[in-house]
Amino acid sequence: MTSTPTAGPLQPTTSAGPDAPTPAAPKKKRTGGGLGGYLLVRFLLIIPTVFILVTVVFVLMRATGDPITAAQGGRLPADQLAERIHAAGYDRPVLVQYWEYLGQLLRGDFGTTLSDSRPVTEVLTTFGAATLELAFYALLVAFVVGIPLGLAAAYFRDRVPDAVLRVFAIACYATPVFFAGLLLKLVFAVQLDWLPVAGRASTRSEIEMRQLDDPTGIFLIDAFRTGNPDVIADVLQHAVLPALALGLLTAGVFLRLVRTNVIGTLGSGYVDAARSRGVRESRLLRKHAYRPALIPIVTVIGMQVAMLLVGAVLTETTFEWRGLGFQLSQYLQARDFVAVQGIVVMLAVIVAVTNFLVDVIAALIDPRVRY
């Protein structure tokens, strides 16, 4: 009698021999990009952003006609006006003018102003330092006022101090910057006579700073270079009111943002675990909830810089702070569209580059922004 062999467990059949290599496990698909790729994409986005802004500014400037007619129309006879238009090339097709303008920008040539015949690049370098200095002061005020008050509002959540600080924040970013500037001038310069009414420095201080070798145009740096404490104090006194008028606008945004994020962080799991171990609420605020709440601040700085540059036009005009904003208002009154176009394009480039730098900082602080 023949015995039937017992069937063993089923084995997979393969045509390969016993020495065949084991197939490699499939690679996991990456769900996010690396830091280098993220930063490269963000940097390349600057080019179309600036290109679109340049195009929009060019079209809007040409929508009212050629710059010479806008600036000199009604002041010159028709034949002289036509001669100037032809000499400047503004009688050519708009598309030809546009391509020529793009070529000039690529060479760093922003044109020449019509009202005072100055190269626009000279205007940018001369008055840009003043706007940069004012933006620095305003950001300093925003950080010093907005972040501590935001932490205080989160600490006293739903109590009287929190309600007062929230009303203060709304008043800061809802009040027009020119109205805030006029109010500050009326109280602290006119009635109390504590601070100067306008300007970046007194005439004596400006003369002393201009005698320096290669002045930077940033009065605070030049004042320290003189080594004269009176000049330093004079420059700082002139900066207080413009910095407050412009900085409180951003401080209100920072206050609300810090308050909201700190409250959210205080309700997270790791903070609850620390609280269950008996950690005091003030220590939780300083050690556990403070730093995570600052990450959103970094991400919105780019937008706030754009707001500061917009507000700088009104602030510089209110306080006669001779920067790009002040010059922009003067060129608008003179209908000098070449100068206006160059200044607006430069401000757009500054905003685009600032947003890229903010993206870099945010990506280094918080890896989640690039996934």
Side-chain angles (χ1 to χ4, degrees):
M1 194 173 172
T2 305
S3 60
T4 304
T6 305
L10 295 174
Q11 299 292 335
T13 59
T14 177
S15 59
D19 296 332
T22 305
K27 294 182 179 180
K28 293 183 178 180
K29 185 178 181 180
R30 295 184 62 183
T31 58
L35 177 61
Y38 171 79
L39 296 181
L40 178 61
V41 171
R42 299 301 300 174
F43 177 77
L44 293 177
L45 284 176
I46 295 178
I47 299 175
T49 301
V50 174
F51 175 76
I52 293 173
L53 289 173
V54 167
T55 305
V56 170
V57 171
F58 182 88
V59 171
L60 291 178
M61 291 293 99
R62 294 300 187 277
T64 57
D66 64 272
I68 294 180
T69 302
Q72 303 294 334
R75 302 178 184 177
L76 295 175
D79 55 341
Q80 294 184 16
L81 187 64
E83 183 180 348
R84 291 195 180 188
I85 292 174
H86 178 72
Y90 291 126
D91 55 350
R92 294 174 298 171
V94 175
L95 188 60
V96 175
Q97 298 180 44
Y98 175 68
W99 285 115
E100 182 178 345
Y101 180 66
L102 288 181
Q104 291 178 349
L105 290 182
L106 292 176
R107 297 192 302 270
D109 181 9
F110 288 82
T112 303
T113 63
L114 299 175
S115 56
D116 49 10
S117 299
R118 299 174 61 183
V120 178
T121 52
E122 179 183 333
V123 175
L124 297 175
T125 54
T126 302
F127 299 100
T131 300
L132 177 64
E133 186 177 10
L134 179 59
F136 170 77
Y137 291 145
L139 276 178
L140 186 62
V141 170
F143 281 117
V144 171
V145 174
I147 293 178
L149 292 184
L151 292 173
Y155 183 76
F156 295 104
R157 178 185 180 184
D158 297 331
R159 285 180 275 179
V160 174
D162 179 30
V164 173
L165 290 174
R166 280 187 287 173
V167 173
F168 173 74
I170 294 173
C172 284
Y173 63 74
T175 303
V177 65
F178 69 90
F179 178 77
L182 292 174
L183 189 62
L184 290 171
K185 288 174 64 174
L186 179 64
V187 174
F188 294 101
V190 177
Q191 294 188 357
L192 297 178
D193 196 22
W194 288 353
L195 296 168
V197 175
R200 298 179 62 196
S202 63
T203 304
R204 181 180 301 178
S205 298
E206 287 195 32
I207 293 174
E208 187 168 347
M209 287 184 289
R210 286 174 182 173
Q211 293 175 352
L212 295 170
D213 295 332
D214 298 324
T216 62
I218 300 177
F219 277 13
L220 185 60
I221 296 177
D222 292 338
F224 275 102
R225 289 178 60 193
T226 63
N228 188 342
D230 294 334
V231 176
I232 298 173
D234 180 61
V235 169
L236 290 175
Q237 288 174 358
H238 280 79
V240 171
L241 293 183
L244 284 176
L246 188 56
L248 289 177
L249 176 70
T250 305
V253 178
F254 284 179
L255 194 159
R256 293 296 300 266
L257 195 60
V258 170
R259 176 188 178 274
T260 301
N261 286 278
V262 168
I263 290 175
T265 306
L266 287 175
S268 59
Y270 72 93
V271 174
D272 289 337
R275 189 181 287 116
S276 65
R277 296 196 301 269
V279 179
R280 291 180 301 176
E281 199 71 19
S282 59
R283 183 176 177 82
L284 288 174
L285 186 66
R286 294 194 312 270
K287 300 296 183 181
H288 297 278
Y290 174 63
R291 290 184 179 179
L294 292 184
I295 294 177
I297 293 291
V298 176
T299 60
V300 301
I301 285 180
M303 293 183 291
Q304 297 309 312
V305 168
M307 290 182 59
L308 288 177
L309 292 177
V310 172
V313 177
L314 298 174
T315 305
E316 291 178 5
T317 304
T318 303
F319 291 96
E320 296 182 16
W321 186 280
R322 296 186 178 275
L324 286 181
F326 180 82
Q327 288 301 121
L328 181 61
S329 65
Q330 298 298 311
Y331 285 129
L332 281 171
Q333 293 178 10
R335 300 183 65 82
D336 191 336
F337 288 172
V338 176
V340 172
Q341 189 170 263
I343 293 176
V344 172
V345 168
M346 177 54 66
L347 295 178
V349 172
I350 292 174
V351 172
V353 173
T354 303
N355 276 278
F356 168 71
L357 295 177
V358 168
D359 289 337
V360 172
I361 296 172
L364 294 175
I365 294 176
D366 188 5
R368 294 174 298 176
V369 302
R370 57 181 187 268
Y371 286 96

